Amino acid sequence: MNNTTSKDTQEVKSFFDGYANDFDSIYGHTDHQRGILDKLADKLFRQVMLLRFKETLKRTANSAIHSVMDIGCGPGHYCVEFLKQGKKVMAIDLAENMLKIAKGRVNETHLDGKGEIAFLQANYLEHNFEQQYDAACLMGFFDYIKNPEDVLEKLKKDITKEVYASFPQSGGLLIWQRKIRYKMRNCPLYLYSLKDLQELMKKVGLEGKYEVIDLKRDFFVKIDMS
Ligand SMILES: C[S@@+](CC[C@H](N)C(=O)[O-])C[C@H]1O[C@@H](n2cnc3c(N)ncnc32)[C@H](O)[C@@H]1O
């Protein structure tokens, strides 16, 4: 990572390097041990994670989508499913420990030669790609992004068909505990009202090109990039 990497990015990277196993365990497939309060937060978070997972995979099942960038791929649950769907996948993450888990998950899955994948440890905003991809998946990514306009402008260059992204909602009962948890762990967190989201899309010229599904904790957003 180069010298221009911001303080925010360094904090997100070190947060996710330390949180990789705990985050992976929220999906419920590992026997990693968690405290009682964390378990409760995980249970509530798991519901929205599974909803956004389903919404994304329903859309990538489209045979017109041949290649997918998984931006902030984390522990690789999406990567494995994209591969099962036969896609060409570019998996990008800042955190080395997340990529280690993702690679292990892909290697342990019997894919019978389906799909192909490349892993990249990088800040998405700082990497220039040699080719475009049909789609991009940014789940649980905008939560940590200070300048979402820059990401959306870059996606316009990198992606030709569809973008699927989650945006964390600023309202709701549990938001205070999330804000406190992240503050205590020195990880930046950026939240959105529906109005914030609409203003953001307008600012980057994507008005009328997106649909929003309210998943309660998150907004699931599909953007038409064609
Ligand atoms: C909450 S995890 C979500 C993982 C995965 N998308 C999922 O939903 O299971 C967010 C991931 O985004 C990564 N990330 C955050 N900012 C990033 C950036 N600028 N470039 C690449 N990865 C980033 C973090 O390291 C972390 O692994």
Side-chain angles (χ1 to χ4, degrees):
M1 221 147 291
N2 70 32
N3 294 331
T4 63
T5 300
S6 70
K7 182 171 163 278
D8 249 32
T9 311
Q10 289 295 355
E11 285 173 350
V12 173
K13 180 186 177 316
S14 79
F15 172 73
F16 278 107
D17 268 327
Y19 181 45
N21 283 310
D22 285 346
F23 180 82
D24 187 30
S25 73
I26 301 174
Y27 278 94
H29 302 300
T30 67
D31 48 15
H32 190 68
Q33 293 301 307
R34 298 273 277 154
I36 288 175
L37 279 178
D38 284 332
K39 269 192 190 156
L40 187 64
D42 289 356
K43 196 173 170 212
L44 296 163
F45 186 22
R46 187 180 302 142
Q47 292 167 357
V48 75
M49 278 172 56
L50 295 179
L51 284 175
R52 68 194 196 191
F53 193 60
K54 276 192 200 155
E55 289 297 336
T56 304
L57 296 175
K58 197 162 79 183
R59 289 169 175 82
T60 52
N62 178 351
S63 59
I65 305 291
H66 300 286
S67 56
V68 185
M69 256 194 210
D70 189 354
I71 303 172
C73 67
H77 293 266
Y78 286 80
C79 298
V80 164
E81 297 306 315
F82 296 150
L83 288 169
K84 285 184 187 166
Q85 289 178 339
K87 313 294 175 191
K88 176 179 173 175
V89 183
M90 168 58 80
I92 308 144
D93 207 288
L94 275 177
E96 198 177 346
N97 289 344
M98 283 290 196
L99 284 172
K100 256 188 221 159
I101 299 174
K103 285 178 191 168
R105 173 158 285 112
V106 167
N107 289 337
E108 281 161 19
T109 308
H110 295 289
L111 291 161
D112 297 324
K114 274 192 185 161
E116 59 175 277
I117 188 161
F119 291 97
L120 175 69
Q121 189 194 352
N123 176 353
Y124 171 65
L125 276 166
E126 289 177 357
H127 193 84
N128 290 323
F129 293 90
E130 282 170 9
Q131 65 173 101
Q132 292 181 305
Y133 283 69
D134 292 333
C137 165
L138 301 94
M139 288 305 136
F141 178 86
F142 281 103
D143 312 38
Y144 312 102
I145 298 295
K146 190 174 185 177
N147 299 314
E149 301 87 358
D150 296 350
V151 173
L152 291 165
E153 291 295 351
K154 183 161 163 54
L155 288 167
K156 284 198 219 165
K157 294 185 203 130
D158 291 337
I159 306 301
T160 55
K161 293 180 180 161
E162 297 184 346
V163 166
Y164 324 105
S166 65
F167 288 83
Q169 298 191 7
S170 50
L173 273 179
L174 290 166
I175 201 58
W176 284 106
Q177 66 91 18
R178 189 172 184 216
K179 278 187 187 167
I180 294 165
R181 270 195 306 141
Y182 277 67
K183 182 120 191 119
M184 282 168 63
R185 294 175 190 178
N186 261 333
C187 181
L189 180 65
Y190 301 95
L191 305 169
Y192 294 79
S193 65
L194 185 58
K195 192 161 170 268
D196 296 333
L197 189 56
Q198 288 163 341
E199 279 170 5
L200 170 64
M201 293 297 170
K202 191 172 175 185
K203 206 165 162 187
V204 294
L206 290 169
E207 207 178 14
K209 300 203 72 172
Y210 66 96
E211 58 182 76
V212 181
I213 302 177
D214 184 351
L215 300 181
K216 300 303 171 210
R217 182 189 177 276
D218 282 350
F219 294 114
F220 176 91
V221 181
K222 184 209 143 193
I223 314 172
D224 180 1
M225 308 302 277
S226 58

